[in-house]
Amino acid sequence: LLLAAGGFTIDGMTTTTNLLEAGGTLIGDNVINGALVWSSGIWDNANSVTIATNSVLNITSGADHDMPYITVTNYGTVTWSGPGRVRGGGLPGTTIYNYGLWDSQGDWTLNDDFGSDGTELFNFGTFRKSAGTNTSTTITAGVYVENMGTMDVETGTLSLNGGGLLTGGMQTGP
């Protein structure tokens, strides 16, 4: 199933493992139940995106992955394998709650390009950097990070540049 142009709401009532967003925009409140490959398209008209337990969001390609003005809640797995930046911010800003696994499989950038109220990452699960050329996955200025879970750096560096609070969790490295 290909989402190529227009606005879409994914209500979570359908389980699919072959959904590809290659254009268009998510709108309203969305629940990913199964798997979604996000190669391009934007999430700027969505209020929320929830990745359900045992579900997967694959962030692929070199395109920017824009998620301003949204709350993203991950209970499953986010696999970030493409070099495209994940960009948040705006008014009312971007909030990411990670209760599952967020796996950065390269030297990628999470930033606050849309500014205003900023971008926040609250990690209660595992935020992992599992691959790359031994350089860094960078969480840039303007992105506030609170870690109550595990920050697992298996290769290279996870560079936090926006302030935050590291408490009650674990920070591991090679």
Side-chain angles (χ1 to χ4, degrees):
L1 181 59
L2 174 65
L3 310 179
F8 301 94
T9 301
I10 304 167
D11 68 6
M13 298 304 291
T14 302
T15 301
T16 180
T17 58
N18 61 350
L19 182 60
L20 170 62
E21 183 182 3
T25 185
L26 293 186
I27 59 176
D29 296 310
N30 296 267
V31 177
I32 297 167
N33 191 0
L36 170 68
V37 175
W38 185 17
S39 67
S40 66
I42 55 177
W43 292 5
D44 68 339
N45 288 310
N47 299 320
S48 66
V49 173
T50 300
I51 299 98
T53 302
N54 299 320
S55 297
V56 178
L57 169 63
N58 293 300
I59 302 173
T60 64
S61 87
D64 285 336
H65 295 82
D66 295 341
M67 55 169 67
Y69 335 113
I70 188 172
T71 298
V72 176
T73 306
N74 175 38
Y75 294 105
T77 300
V78 174
T79 303
W80 186 9
S81 62
R85 298 172 298 173
V86 173
R87 304 184 326 152
L91 188 61
T94 300
T95 303
I96 301 169
Y97 296 100
N98 180 46
Y99 294 94
L101 171 63
W102 186 296
D103 187 11
S104 175
Q105 297 179 342
D107 305 319
W108 317 138
T109 299
L110 169 62
N111 70 29
D112 187 51
D113 274 2
F114 294 91
S116 292
D117 281 354
T119 302
E120 300 172 310
L121 168 62
F122 296 94
N123 182 49
F124 299 95
T126 299
F127 190 99
R128 175 176 295 147
K129 182 183 185 310
S130 65
T133 59
N134 290 325
T135 57
S136 69
T137 290
T138 303
I139 301 178
T140 67
V143 179
Y144 176 82
V145 176
E146 280 197 21
N147 182 52
M148 285 70 67
T150 300
M151 296 291 236
D152 179 20
V153 181
E154 295 181 354
T155 183
T157 302
L158 176 59
S159 179
L160 306 178
N161 297 304
L165 179 63
L166 305 176
T167 182
M170 292 179 22
Q171 291 75 46
T172 63

